[in-house]
Amino acid sequence: MATANELPLAVVSGNRIGLWTELIVVFLFLPLLIYAGALPNWPIPLLLIVAGYAFWILRRDGAFESVRLVRFRSVWSGLGRVLLRDALLMAIIGVGVWRFAPRLLFSMVERNPVLWAAILVLYPLLSVYPQELLFRGFFFHRYEPLFGSGSAMIIASAAAFSFVHIIFGNWLAVALTFIGGVLFSLTYRKSGSLNPVCLEHALFGNFLFTIGLGQFFYHAYRL
């Protein structure tokens, strides 16, 4: 197979234009349309549709290693260090909620324990894996010609992940997901597998719902 350096300049430029167009439509225009009310604000159904598109693209791409989507061998590699890093960040967030918004602390657990329990189970399945398939597995492979595989890719993936959270209409969701996006991207780049990233993402997400910040990430729930 010809490399990018061996392809005619017009072909390479055309591929880049196509990739930029796709990226702008999927990761910029689509969230903006939802935020503006031009599309229904149905996060999970829309996420599953877009993640399905990403999965279809990856399955048709012979250069993509499908084992990245399912392999377990890299789950335990460096997991202790990752969990320690995450635990420290969770502790900071928890102290922040306790200090600056004590009325939120464990509010979902206390007021709607059935919903909280359902989220703990369903969130990793219906939200975490599709998000990581889209923003890590798909994004890293699909847009490598645009951003490379280093720091630019980490920032681009985190920015796209963060920006889509404008649909929840608050700055906290955007800020926290940018930080999370950087961490998840670093984990994915090191492990080459979605599984450790999904574990990390699920722990963070369920922690945020438990600690009382769920209303910033789930527009159907408000205190």
Side-chain angles (χ1 to χ4, degrees):
M1 180 181 294
T3 65
N5 292 332
E6 296 170 339
L7 292 172
L9 181 59
V11 174
V12 174
S13 298
N15 288 342
R16 287 179 177 273
I17 291 172
L19 290 175
W20 274 116
T21 300
E22 178 187 70
L23 187 152
I24 290 170
V25 169
V26 173
F27 298 99
L28 179 62
F29 284 172
L30 185 58
L32 284 175
L33 289 173
I34 297 171
Y35 180 75
L39 288 175
N41 198 335
W42 299 338
I44 296 300
L46 291 173
L47 170 63
L48 293 177
I49 291 171
V50 179
Y53 165 78
F55 180 74
W56 178 71
I57 291 292
L58 292 176
R59 289 292 294 171
R60 296 176 70 241
D61 189 339
F64 179 73
E65 301 175 89
S66 296
V67 70
R68 285 176 173 266
L69 303 179
V70 295
R71 69 180 165 200
F72 284 90
R73 68 171 177 80
S74 55
V75 171
W76 308 110
S77 177
L79 186 61
R81 179 184 57 80
V82 169
L83 293 180
L84 177 60
R85 177 194 69 189
D86 295 346
L88 291 173
L89 182 54
M90 289 179 195
I92 293 172
I93 294 172
V95 171
V97 174
W98 169 73
R99 177 66 179 82
F100 298 106
R103 72 181 186 87
L104 295 179
L105 197 62
F106 304 117
S107 55
M108 181 179 285
V109 179
E110 295 174 352
R111 300 189 182 195
N112 201 332
V114 174
L115 175 62
W116 171 72
I119 287 174
L120 292 189
V121 174
L122 297 177
Y123 173 72
L125 299 175
L126 298 180
S127 183
V128 169
Y129 190 85
Q131 286 186 69
E132 292 308 321
L133 169 65
L134 180 61
F135 289 100
R136 252 56 68 180
F138 175 79
F139 200 99
F140 269 63
H141 179 75
R142 184 73 161 172
Y143 303 121
E144 185 176 1
L146 304 181
F147 303 112
S149 58
S151 298
M153 175 59 79
I154 299 294
I155 298 301
S157 173
F161 179 62
S162 172
F163 184 76
V164 76
H165 286 79
I166 66 170
I167 67 173
F168 296 114
N170 66 86
W171 67 267
L172 187 62
V174 175
L176 287 179
T177 51
F178 180 78
I179 296 171
V182 171
L183 297 179
F184 305 155
S185 295
L186 289 170
T187 300
Y188 179 73
R189 186 176 66 175
K190 181 176 177 58
S191 67
S193 171
L194 286 188
N195 285 317
V197 191
C198 287
L199 175 60
E200 183 177 27
H201 189 162
L203 288 174
F204 261 112
N206 283 339
F207 170 77
L208 292 177
F209 280 103
T210 301
I211 206 68
L213 298 180
Q215 64 175 327
F216 298 101
F217 296 87
Y218 181 40
H219 66 271
Y221 178 80
R222 289 290 182 271
L223 287 178

